[in-house]
Protein backbone atom coordinates (compact mmCIF):
# COMPACT_ATOMS: atom_id res chain seq x y z
CA UNK A 1 0.00 0.00 0.00
CA UNK A 2 1.19 3.50 -0.84
CA UNK A 3 1.72 5.71 2.21
CA UNK A 4 1.43 9.48 1.79
CA UNK A 5 2.46 12.02 4.40
CA UNK A 6 0.37 15.19 4.36
CA UNK A 7 2.08 18.03 6.20
CA UNK A 8 -0.10 20.97 7.21
CA UNK A 9 0.55 24.48 8.52
CA UNK A 10 -3.14 25.43 8.64
CA UNK A 11 -5.89 23.35 10.20
CA UNK A 12 -8.26 24.37 7.42
CA UNK A 13 -6.14 22.51 4.84
CA UNK A 14 -6.72 19.12 6.43
CA UNK A 15 -10.29 18.43 5.33
CA UNK A 16 -10.01 19.57 1.68
CA UNK A 17 -7.01 17.40 0.86
CA UNK A 18 -8.25 14.37 2.77
CA UNK A 19 -11.61 14.66 0.99
CA UNK A 20 -9.79 14.74 -2.34
CA UNK A 21 -7.85 11.59 -1.47
CA UNK A 22 -11.03 9.80 -0.43
CA UNK A 23 -12.61 10.74 -3.74
CA UNK A 24 -9.67 10.32 -6.13
CA UNK A 25 -7.18 7.96 -4.47
CA UNK A 26 -8.96 6.08 -1.67
CA UNK A 27 -6.48 3.19 -1.55
CA UNK A 28 -3.62 5.46 -0.48
CA UNK A 29 -2.75 5.33 3.22
CA UNK A 30 -2.62 8.86 4.60
CA UNK A 31 -0.84 10.26 7.62
CA UNK A 32 -1.47 13.85 8.65
CA UNK A 33 1.21 15.93 10.33
CA UNK A 34 0.14 19.31 11.70
CA UNK A 35 2.16 22.24 13.00
CA UNK A 36 -0.29 25.11 13.12
CA UNK A 37 2.34 27.43 14.62
CA UNK A 38 4.22 27.57 11.31
CA UNK A 39 1.92 30.11 9.67
CA UNK A 40 1.65 32.28 12.78
CA UNK A 41 5.42 32.30 13.22
CA UNK A 42 5.94 33.16 9.55
CA UNK A 43 3.50 36.06 9.80
CA UNK A 44 5.30 37.36 12.90
CA UNK A 45 8.63 37.22 11.09
CA UNK A 46 7.38 39.38 8.23
CA UNK A 47 7.18 36.40 5.86
CA UNK A 48 10.91 35.70 6.21
CA UNK A 49 11.89 32.06 5.69
CA UNK A 50 14.95 32.01 7.94
CA UNK A 51 17.30 29.18 8.86
CA UNK A 52 15.16 28.20 11.82
CA UNK A 53 12.11 27.75 9.60
CA UNK A 54 14.12 25.64 7.17
CA UNK A 55 15.28 23.42 10.03
CA UNK A 56 11.70 22.90 11.14
CA UNK A 57 10.70 21.78 7.66
CA UNK A 58 13.67 19.43 7.46
CA UNK A 59 12.59 17.87 10.76
CA UNK A 60 9.03 17.40 9.49
CA UNK A 61 10.27 15.82 6.28
CA UNK A 62 12.70 13.54 8.10
CA UNK A 63 9.96 12.38 10.44
CA UNK A 64 7.59 11.64 7.56
CA UNK A 65 10.25 9.58 5.80
CA UNK A 66 11.06 7.73 9.04
CA UNK A 67 7.47 6.47 9.19
CA UNK A 68 7.78 4.87 5.76
CA UNK A 69 6.16 7.56 3.62
CA UNK A 70 6.36 6.89 -0.12
CA UNK A 71 5.58 10.50 -0.90
CA UNK A 72 5.11 13.83 0.90
CA UNK A 73 2.63 16.56 0.08
CA UNK A 74 2.89 19.89 1.86
CA UNK A 75 -0.44 21.70 1.95
CA UNK A 76 0.52 25.31 2.72
CA UNK A 77 1.80 27.38 -0.18
CA UNK A 78 3.71 30.05 1.75
CA UNK A 79 6.81 27.91 2.33
CA UNK A 80 8.03 27.08 -1.18
CA UNK A 81 11.82 27.33 -0.63
CA UNK A 82 11.59 25.24 2.55
CA UNK A 83 9.68 22.52 0.69
CA UNK A 84 12.20 22.57 -2.15
CA UNK A 85 14.97 21.97 0.38
CA UNK A 86 13.10 18.97 1.79
CA UNK A 87 12.71 17.60 -1.74
CA UNK A 88 16.45 17.97 -2.34
CA UNK A 89 17.18 16.13 0.91
CA UNK A 90 14.93 13.19 -0.04
CA UNK A 91 15.41 12.69 -3.80
CA UNK A 92 14.21 9.09 -3.68
CA UNK A 93 10.56 10.01 -3.11
CA UNK A 94 8.25 12.67 -4.56
CA UNK A 95 7.99 15.73 -2.34
CA UNK A 96 5.39 18.12 -3.69
CA UNK A 97 4.57 21.72 -3.04
CA UNK A 98 0.80 22.14 -2.85
CA UNK A 99 0.54 24.33 -5.93
CA UNK A 100 2.89 22.60 -8.40
CA UNK A 101 0.19 20.97 -10.51
CA UNK A 102 -2.03 24.05 -10.54
CA UNK A 103 0.91 26.22 -11.56
CA UNK A 104 1.58 23.89 -14.47
CA UNK A 105 -2.02 24.27 -15.61
CA UNK A 106 -1.80 28.03 -15.28
CA UNK A 107 1.36 28.14 -17.39
CA UNK A 108 -0.44 26.23 -20.13
CA UNK A 109 -3.39 28.63 -20.13
CA UNK A 110 -3.98 31.87 -21.99
CA UNK A 111 -4.61 35.37 -20.65
CA UNK A 112 -3.85 37.19 -17.43
CA UNK A 113 -4.16 35.10 -14.26
CA UNK A 114 -5.67 36.44 -11.06
CA UNK A 115 -4.14 34.83 -7.96
CA UNK A 116 -6.07 35.13 -4.68
CA UNK A 117 -4.81 34.23 -1.22
CA UNK A 118 -6.16 34.61 2.29
CA UNK A 119 -2.70 34.42 3.90
CA UNK A 120 -0.50 37.39 2.99
CA UNK A 121 2.79 35.47 3.00
CA UNK A 122 1.52 33.27 0.17
CA UNK A 123 1.45 36.30 -2.13
CA UNK A 124 5.16 36.78 -1.40
CA UNK A 125 6.34 33.21 -1.98
CA UNK A 126 4.03 31.91 -4.69
CA UNK A 127 4.01 34.38 -7.64
CA UNK A 128 7.63 33.63 -8.68
CA UNK A 129 6.64 29.98 -9.21
CA UNK A 130 4.57 30.95 -12.25
CA UNK A 131 7.61 32.29 -14.05
CA UNK A 132 8.02 35.45 -16.13
CA UNK A 133 5.80 34.30 -19.00
CA UNK A 134 2.55 34.29 -16.99
CA UNK A 135 0.85 37.68 -16.71
CA UNK A 136 -0.28 37.86 -13.10
CA UNK A 137 -2.32 40.07 -10.80
CA UNK A 138 -2.71 39.21 -7.12
CA UNK A 139 -5.31 39.93 -4.46
CA UNK A 140 -5.49 39.31 -0.72
CA UNK A 141 -8.93 38.42 0.60
CA UNK A 142 -8.51 40.29 3.87
CA UNK A 143 -10.52 38.90 6.75
CA UNK A 144 -11.40 35.67 4.97
CA UNK A 145 -9.08 33.47 7.01
CA UNK A 146 -10.29 35.08 10.23
CA UNK A 147 -13.87 34.34 9.16
CA UNK A 148 -13.00 30.70 8.53
CA UNK A 149 -11.26 30.51 11.90
CA UNK A 150 -14.48 31.82 13.46
CA UNK A 151 -16.57 29.19 11.70
CA UNK A 152 -18.13 31.56 9.18
CA UNK A 153 -17.48 29.70 5.95
CA UNK A 154 -20.02 31.72 4.00
CA UNK A 155 -18.25 35.02 4.76
CA UNK A 156 -14.89 33.41 3.93
CA UNK A 157 -16.18 32.37 0.51
CA UNK A 158 -17.87 35.72 -0.13
CA UNK A 159 -14.72 37.73 0.62
CA UNK A 160 -12.71 35.58 -1.79
CA UNK A 161 -15.42 35.89 -4.43
CA UNK A 162 -15.29 39.70 -4.14
CA UNK A 163 -11.61 39.56 -5.04
CA UNK A 164 -12.34 37.28 -8.00
CA UNK A 165 -14.75 39.87 -9.40
CA UNK A 166 -12.21 42.65 -8.75
CA UNK A 167 -9.51 40.73 -10.62
CA UNK A 168 -11.89 40.14 -13.52
CA UNK A 169 -12.46 43.89 -13.70
CA UNK A 170 -8.67 44.37 -13.82
CA UNK A 171 -8.54 42.25 -16.96
CA UNK A 172 -7.88 38.78 -15.64
CA UNK A 173 -9.34 35.96 -17.73
CA UNK A 174 -8.93 33.16 -15.15
CA UNK A 175 -8.62 32.86 -11.40
CA UNK A 176 -6.36 30.70 -9.22
CA UNK A 177 -7.02 30.07 -5.53
CA UNK A 178 -3.64 29.82 -3.85
CA UNK A 179 -4.40 27.72 -0.76
CA UNK A 180 -5.97 24.34 -0.05
CA UNK A 181 -8.28 25.94 2.50
CA UNK A 182 -9.75 28.12 -0.28
CA UNK A 183 -10.97 25.28 -2.50
CA UNK A 184 -14.41 25.50 -0.90
CA UNK A 185 -14.84 28.97 -2.44
CA UNK A 186 -14.45 27.81 -6.04
CA UNK A 187 -18.16 27.89 -6.93
CA UNK A 188 -18.65 31.29 -5.30
CA UNK A 189 -15.73 32.69 -7.30
CA UNK A 190 -17.05 31.25 -10.54
CA UNK A 191 -20.46 32.76 -9.86
CA UNK A 192 -19.05 36.17 -8.93
CA UNK A 193 -16.55 36.47 -11.75
CA UNK A 194 -17.88 34.31 -14.56
CA UNK A 195 -14.31 33.08 -15.04
CA UNK A 196 -12.74 29.61 -14.83
CA UNK A 197 -11.23 28.97 -11.40
CA UNK A 198 -8.20 26.77 -10.73
CA UNK A 199 -7.71 25.12 -7.32
CA UNK A 200 -4.77 23.25 -5.85
CA UNK A 201 -6.41 20.28 -4.14
CA UNK A 202 -7.54 17.94 -6.91
CA UNK A 203 -4.56 18.63 -9.13
CA UNK A 204 -2.13 17.94 -6.28
CA UNK A 205 -3.59 14.49 -5.63
CA UNK A 206 -3.52 13.62 -9.32
CA UNK A 207 0.08 14.78 -9.71
CA UNK A 208 1.32 12.84 -6.69
CA UNK A 209 -0.45 9.69 -7.82
CA UNK A 210 0.99 10.03 -11.30
CA UNK A 211 4.54 10.48 -10.02
CA UNK A 212 4.34 7.42 -7.82
CA UNK A 213 2.75 5.35 -10.59
CA UNK A 214 5.55 6.31 -12.97
CA UNK A 215 8.15 5.40 -10.37
CA UNK A 216 7.00 1.78 -10.13
Amino acid sequence: MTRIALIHALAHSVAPINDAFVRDWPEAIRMNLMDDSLSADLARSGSRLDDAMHRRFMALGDYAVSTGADGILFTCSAFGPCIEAVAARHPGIPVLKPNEAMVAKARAGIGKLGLIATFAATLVSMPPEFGPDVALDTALAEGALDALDAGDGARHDALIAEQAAWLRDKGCTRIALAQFSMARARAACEDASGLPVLTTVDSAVAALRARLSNAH
Side-chain angles (χ1 to χ4, degrees), residues 130-210:
F130 291 92
D133 296 333
V134 176
L136 188 69
D137 272 333
T138 63
L140 177 66
E142 294 190 43
L145 193 55
D146 290 338
L148 198 59
D149 286 338
D152 193 346
R155 177 164 173 76
H156 166 269
D157 296 355
L159 289 169
I160 296 170
E162 286 178 9
Q163 296 305 312
W166 180 73
L167 287 166
R168 176 205 60 207
D169 292 344
K170 288 191 69 179
C172 293
T173 61
R174 54 222 172 95
I175 301 295
L177 303 182
Q179 296 147 237
F180 277 37
S181 57
M182 299 171 68
R184 53 167 293 137
R186 179 176 184 171
C189 289
E190 290 173 339
D191 290 344
S193 68
L195 300 178
V197 177
L198 301 173
T199 64
T200 50
V201 175
D202 295 335
S203 52
V205 174
L208 188 58
R209 186 173 189 175

Side-chain angles (χ1 to χ4, degrees), residues 13-196:
S13 301
V14 178
I17 188 58
N18 279 274
D19 289 347
F21 267 95
V22 169
R23 183 176 60 250
D24 297 330
W25 196 5
E27 60 271 29
I29 297 172
R30 287 163 280 129
M31 63 171 295
N32 289 273
L33 299 178
M34 164 67 72
D35 182 352
D36 62 1
S37 70
L38 288 167
S39 294
D41 291 344
L42 183 63
R44 277 193 289 270
S45 74
S47 302
R48 190 167 60 91
L49 296 170
D50 57 15
D51 289 343
M53 186 63 76
H54 275 271
R55 287 193 297 270
R56 291 169 70 178
F57 270 76
M58 288 298 185
L60 287 165
D62 289 349
Y63 178 74
V65 170
S66 77
T67 69
D70 299 298
I72 300 173
L73 175 62
F74 287 88
T75 68
C76 186
S77 51
F79 301 92
C82 295
I83 299 169
E84 290 167 5
V86 174
R89 185 181 179 95
H90 299 286
I93 65 171
V95 177
L96 269 66
K97 292 183 286 188
N99 38 33
E100 283 185 38
M102 186 183 76
V103 166
K105 287 185 178 181
R107 285 176 178 158
I110 298 172
K112 186 160 64 171
L113 179 72
L115 179 68
I116 308 173
T118 61
F119 183 55
T122 300
L123 295 180
V124 176
S125 66
M126 190 172 174
E129 296 178 28
F130 291 92
D133 296 333
V134 176
L136 188 69
D137 272 333
T138 63
L140 177 66
E142 294 190 43
L145 193 55
D146 290 338
L148 198 59
D149 286 338
D152 193 346
R155 177 164 173 76
H156 166 269
D157 296 355
L159 289 169
I160 296 170
E162 286 178 9
Q163 296 305 312
W166 180 73
L167 287 166
R168 176 205 60 207
D169 292 344
K170 288 191 69 179
C172 293
T173 61
R174 54 222 172 95
I175 301 295
L177 303 182
Q179 296 147 237
F180 277 37
S181 57
M182 299 171 68
R184 53 167 293 137
R186 179 176 184 171
C189 289
E190 290 173 339
D191 290 344
S193 68
L195 300 178

